């Protein structure tokens, strides 16, 4: 009888503690999760700060916070599970009465994007974990990760320099209205740069040599199609991401130089979008940061054929530095680039891959292709066009 009574007492105690903890363990429990900064760049390491406060006398024997976030936010030192595009992060706490605990995690931004953590699930229970209770706590944490800034001079080389003994350092954008002199014509130089008085005087074909300045307006046009015949979804995501990085680098330079910028892309930030993104032209941090946010939020999708986008915009731009970023070249793209150049613009085409339509080559616009390990392939493809 004594043993039975003891067992009944123990069972009653277990049942009672289970009822008390499962009913009140999450009562007056405050949880907060936030990023240390609202904005970062690809590759940056920031912090995630968790704060838990137990505002009651009853202690919390164990508490598990389950954070659902993107796989591209790497929580260092945590127990996390990655499934497709999602990351499930778990952190544990033990809280005494009226205790406040703050924990800071290192977080590495692996990829650009706009990341939201709307809710965190808190799970707790009785002393022996016989029963559990859970609740979703709104945290509304948001992090904008801007694209990585890359070295354009290292990545790209002008086509007319591919067969030279060495590649000279040269910024992608110069000012066609500030002329510092003349030099001899080289294959690949746009015809609209020919310096006729100097050519007549020297007896050789000469072109204007321009100063490099930041006074010109800049228009960045990004093609989110990775292939010519590609409808809606972007197939080659690596190439598209490189194009986004190039655009972000140009915008970063314009921000430092105070250059007015306009941005155009056939990409979108919403899956249901139907029209290309076309921003106004302005200088200043607020405007350029708003464009960087667009780049951070671009999804792998295009809403309109890139050649048609160029055709619709080519007559609206004058006296501007125009940079066209594309994964492939077609005769239509080249003709539109030359048309913009003939309208008084300085046009640069940056080719992200070694794909081009037979015979496609801009005549009045500058063409840059990948250097480094892709240089030999680019030279083979473009060598017959010199």
């Amino acid at each position: 009888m004594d043993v039975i009574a003891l067992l009944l007492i123990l069972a009653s105690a277990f049942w009672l503690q289970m009822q008390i903890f499962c009913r009140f363990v999450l009562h007056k429990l405050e949880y907060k999760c936030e990023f240390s900064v609202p904005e970062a760049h690809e590759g940056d390491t920031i912090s995630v700060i968790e704060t838990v406060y137990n505002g009651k006398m009853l202690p919390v024997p164990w508490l598990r916070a389950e954070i659902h976030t993107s796989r591209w936010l790497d929580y260092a030192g945590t127990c996390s599970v990655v499934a497709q595009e999602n990351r499930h992060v778990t952190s544990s706490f033990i809280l005494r009465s009226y205790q406040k605990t703050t924990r800071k995690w290192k977080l590495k931004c692996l990829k650009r994007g706009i990341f939201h953590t709307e809710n965190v699930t808190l799970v707790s229970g009785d002393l022996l974990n016989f029963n559990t209770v859970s609740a979703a706590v709104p945290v509304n944490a948001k992090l904008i990760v801007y694209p990585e800034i890359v070295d354009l001079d290292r990545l790209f080389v002008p086509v007319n320099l591919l067969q030279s003994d060495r590649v000279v350092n040269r910024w992608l954008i110069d000012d066609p209205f500030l002329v510092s002199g003349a030099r001899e014509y080289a294959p690949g130089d746009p015809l609209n740069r020919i310096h006729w008085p100097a050519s007549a005087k020297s007896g050789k074909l000469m072109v204007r040599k321009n100063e490099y300045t930041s006074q010109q307006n800049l228009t960045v046009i990004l093609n989110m199609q990775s292939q010519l015949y590609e409808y809606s979804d972007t197939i080659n995501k690596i190439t598209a991401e490189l194009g986004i990085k190039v655009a972000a680098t140009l915008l970063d330079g314009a921000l430092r130089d105070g250059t007015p910028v306009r941005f155009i892309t056939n990409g979108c930030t919403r899956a249901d979008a139907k029209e290309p993104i076309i921003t106004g032209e302005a200088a200043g941090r607020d405007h350029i940061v708003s464009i960087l946010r667009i780049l951070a939020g671009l999804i792998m999708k295009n809403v309109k054929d890139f050649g048609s986008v160029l055709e619709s915009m080519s007559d609206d731009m004058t006296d501007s530095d125009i940079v066209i970023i594309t994964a492939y070249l077609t005769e239509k793209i080249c003709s539109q680039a030359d048309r913009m150049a003939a309208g008084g613009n300085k046009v640069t085409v940056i080719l992200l891959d070694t794909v081009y339509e037979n015979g496609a080559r801009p005549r009045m616009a500058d063409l840059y292709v990948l250097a480094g390990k892709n240089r030999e392939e680019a030279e083979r493809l473009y060598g017959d066009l010199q």
Side-chain angles (χ1 to χ4, degrees), residues 157-170 186-188 361 367-368 375 379 386:
V157 61
V159 165
N160 61 300
L161 296 180
L162 282 176
Q163 295 180 335
S164 302
D165 292 333
R166 66 185 182 92
V167 176
V168 298
N169 290 328
R170 173 184 175 188
R361 167 74 184 273
L367 176 61
Y368 284 73
R375 185 178 169 189
E379 183 176 356
Q386 301 292 332

Side-chain angles (χ1 to χ4, degrees), residues 224 232 265-277 294 297-303:
M224 284 298 290
S232 186
T265 181
N266 61 341
C268 59
T269 56
R270 302 191 328 270
D272 59 347
K274 302 297 183 183
E275 296 296 329
I277 296 173
I294 292 174
L298 284 177
I299 60 178
M300 291 292 124
K301 178 182 177 181
N302 65 83
V303 297

Side-chain angles (χ1 to χ4, degrees), residues 17-33:
Q17 65 86 27
M18 185 173 63
Q19 293 299 314
I20 292 174
F21 277 101
C22 289
R23 182 172 180 180
F24 297 106
V25 71
L26 297 182
H27 182 60
K28 291 187 178 181
L29 192 67
E30 299 176 7
Y31 177 88
K32 187 177 182 181
C33 179

Side-chain angles (χ1 to χ4, degrees), residues 121-291:
T121 303
L122 299 182
V123 181
S124 188
D126 64 283
L127 289 169
L128 300 179
N129 199 11
F130 282 171
N131 199 5
T132 62
V133 290
S134 63
V137 178
V139 294
N140 298 320
K142 178 181 178 181
L143 176 66
I144 300 176
V145 179
Y146 297 129
E148 179 186 5
I149 304 302
V150 296
D151 187 348
L152 297 181
D153 290 332
R154 180 183 63 84
L155 285 175
F156 298 96
V157 61
V159 165
N160 61 300
L161 296 180
L162 282 176
Q163 295 180 335
S164 302
D165 292 333
R166 66 185 182 92
V167 176
V168 298
N169 290 328
R170 173 184 175 188
W171 178 236
L172 289 172
I173 304 172
D174 59 13
D175 190 341
F177 299 98
L178 293 182
V179 180
S180 61
R183 61 172 174 80
E184 190 172 351
Y185 176 84
D189 285 330
L191 298 179
N192 64 344
R193 287 195 182 185
I194 295 178
H195 197 306
W196 295 110
S199 299
K201 186 175 181 178
S202 64
K204 296 183 292 185
L205 201 58
M206 307 292 288
V207 295
R208 293 188 298 273
K209 186 169 68 174
N210 299 325
E211 292 284 3
Y212 298 92
T213 179
S214 61
Q215 296 304 309
Q216 278 302 109
N217 298 339
L218 172 64
T219 300
V220 179
I221 308 177
L222 173 63
N223 184 8
M224 284 298 290
Q225 288 177 254
S226 63
Q227 299 178 10
L228 174 57
Y229 299 108
E230 181 179 88
Y231 302 98
S232 186
D233 294 338
T234 301
I235 296 174
N236 191 336
K237 295 177 175 57
I238 295 176
T239 301
E241 290 290 348
L242 175 59
I244 293 172
K245 289 179 173 65
V246 172
T249 303
L250 293 171
L251 292 170
D252 181 71
L255 176 61
R256 286 184 281 105
D257 295 336
T259 304
V261 178
R262 185 185 193 189
F263 178 67
I264 300 169
T265 181
N266 61 341
C268 59
T269 56
R270 302 191 328 270
D272 59 347
K274 302 297 183 183
E275 296 296 329
I277 296 173
I278 302 173
T279 72
E281 182 182 283
R285 180 175 179 80
D286 290 345
H287 175 70
I288 295 180
V289 167
S290 69
I291 301 177

Side-chain angles (χ1 to χ4, degrees), residues 87-104:
R87 182 184 297 272
H88 180 80
V89 181
T90 302
S91 60
S92 300
F93 302 87
I94 298 175
L95 299 167
R96 298 188 303 272
S97 303
Y98 303 104
Q99 181 185 4
K100 182 177 181 180
T101 300
T102 299
R103 180 175 294 163
K104 183 180 291 187

Side-chain angles (χ1 to χ4, degrees), residues 36-89:
S36 58
V37 294
E39 300 170 346
H41 275 276
E42 213 171 342
D44 287 354
T45 298
I46 63 172
S47 298
V48 176
I49 304 168
E50 285 185 290
T51 304
V52 185
Y53 173 65
N54 181 22
K56 61 183 179 298
M57 183 175 294
L58 183 70
V60 179
W62 62 273
L63 176 69
R64 187 170 69 244
E66 299 178 349
I67 306 172
H68 301 276
T69 184
S70 171
R71 67 172 299 177
W72 305 113
L73 299 179
D74 186 9
Y75 286 67
T78 64
C79 177
S80 65
V81 177
V82 175
Q84 297 182 339
E85 295 297 307
N86 302 312
R87 182 184 297 272
H88 180 80
V89 181

